[in-house]
Amino acid sequence: MTIGIGLLGLGTVGAGVAAILATPQGRHPLVADLELKRVAVRDLARPRPVALAEGLLCTDPEAVVDDPAVEIVVEVMGGLEPARSLILRAIAAGKPVVTANKAVIARYGDEIAAAAQAQGVYVLIEAAVGGGIPIIEPLKQSLGGNRIQRVSGIINGTTNYILSRMAAEGAAYGAVLADAQQLGYAEADPAADVQGGDAADKIAILAGLAYGGPVDRAAIATEGIDRLDARDVDYAARLGFVVKLLAVAEHVGQDDDGVQKLDVRVHPTLLPKHHPLAGVHGVNNAILVEGDPIGQVMFFGPGAGAGPTASAVVADILNIAGIRQVGGASAGLDPLLAASSWNRCRLVDGLDSQHRNYLRLLTRDEAGVIGQIGSCFGAAGVSIQSIVQYETDGPGAEMAAGAEIVVITHQVQEARFRGALAAIKALDAVESVAACLRTL
Ligand code: NAP
Ligand code: HSE
């Protein structure tokens, strides 16, 4: 029995999916039952890396959703609209949906899940986070017996590819970003990658699954790598760290009325070279889940690109196809596979979080400056792990007779560190805070 697939989009991911469906040999036998019935694109004349049967392509995505031969709708077109409306249209027609669109799910996941629940159809999103890494299904199912304390990870392939090449080759940021676009890793608008928005979408989704309730995407503190200075990547390496764009969702407590308090954020972070996430290079992603009683479990693999992402999309299609094959849809939705919500969550400001800090200051090069900085830290109860002075003879040496002072603090409460930083900024000898990065 064949199952009709409608593809919305035939770009990087869509073409990867079509390539798998066209070559079922050696894969799970159910793949051979999946038949591409219709495909929507914007531009019919654009050359495609896969050969499709005559008449499959069209420029009307609604017609793909509405086509009676299409039983599963696969949304891989990206963007918020018309993607959201098309997903809702498919659900309203009783058709299950597979999507890789984290931007839509992070913002409208609640609305979509409610509609899907009401209609009794699945909306599966494995490809939305971590590219080819199975992480959505493990969080929904395999780790369900745990209390999750923290989910942290490198969940944007483009930025990890850029940072890895900057660190390994001293490659220029712009050139490496162009390579990431060419390789199909970057979003249509790569600002979402480099400014941290894509990682914030993904950590919103992971937090929602880990803690059982939607999180407010707009409230996630987000900083990308677009303002990261190559000097800091270099100094970090000299001090024994690598810089990664980290996304973190941490359970920090519970309100009296049972609302879960979460600290969720995205920012460049210094990781000690021996940290499990420090060895994740190139387009690879890794997600570290810490829970009780599992302890730590890490998921690693390619985080973007046609093949890996299509692997995750096809896994979701197969899940739906498998349930259909045993007639399971009529028995209602499996609560472990469908998106379910059992908690309310709210984000906190992170002022209580404890971590180390990397600080680069541009200062006057004169006696006593390091002492004054040390006094500010001391007065605020912040302990210094290391303090190094570099001469400002390279880029950033705008000041006459300037110095660069790089400080790594010991672990300290964020609020306390901010107090010390305010006092340091007010010192006459301190021209500017050139960089301030969290450090694990
Ligand atoms: P892409 O290469 O830009 O492809 C988008 C496809 O959708 C194109 O085929 C485009 O048609 C079609 N499309 C866009 N708007 C349309 C419209 N209004 N009507 C009809 N067709 C339309 O994007 P992608 O990289 O494959 O990403 C697709 C989705 O997967 C996004 O949500 C993205 O965030 C997500 N994702 C991507 C990756 C990755 O590695 N690339 C990984 C995980 C998740 P034309 O070809 O004619 O322009
Ligand atoms: N642009 C995204 C990334 C694609 O680089 O990680 C995978 O979601």
Side-chain angles (χ1 to χ4, degrees), residues 73-88 91 96-116 121-130 136 140 187 197-210 213-218 220 313 316 337-341:
V73 173
V74 178
E75 187 277 305
V76 283
M77 62 200 294
L80 297 180
E81 284 294 353
R84 168 185 156 274
S85 298
L86 290 163
I87 291 171
L88 291 171
I91 294 168
V97 176
V98 173
T99 177
N101 195 329
K102 54 269 169 154
V104 162
I105 296 300
R107 287 163 187 77
Y108 303 110
D110 234 11
E111 178 190 21
I112 289 170
V121 297
Y122 291 101
V123 174
L124 300 187
I125 60 166
E126 188 59 71
V129 184
I136 300 294
K140 280 188 197 164
E187 295 302 303
D198 177 76
D201 289 346
K202 292 166 175 170
I203 197 68
I205 293 170
L206 296 182
L209 293 172
V215 304
D216 178 3
R217 164 64 184 84
I220 296 177
V313 169
D316 278 346
L337 190 59
S340 48
S341 181

Side-chain angles (χ1 to χ4, degrees), residues 315-379:
D316 278 346
I317 300 175
L318 289 174
N319 258 324
I320 294 166
I323 289 167
R324 286 209 158 191
Q325 216 177 47
V326 295
S330 55
L333 294 178
D334 171 353
L336 292 179
L337 190 59
S340 48
S341 181
W342 63 90
N343 261 334
R344 283 174 301 144
C345 299
R346 75 174 177 89
L347 302 194
V348 297
D349 59 18
L351 283 177
D352 283 334
S353 72
Q354 301 264 343
H355 51 87
R356 294 192 286 175
N357 300 274
Y358 165 100
L359 191 62
R360 178 163 60 89
L361 303 167
L362 299 184
T363 72
R364 291 205 295 258
D365 192 8
E366 60 187 33
V369 176
I370 287 186
Q372 291 173 38
I373 293 167
S375 297
C376 293
F377 277 128

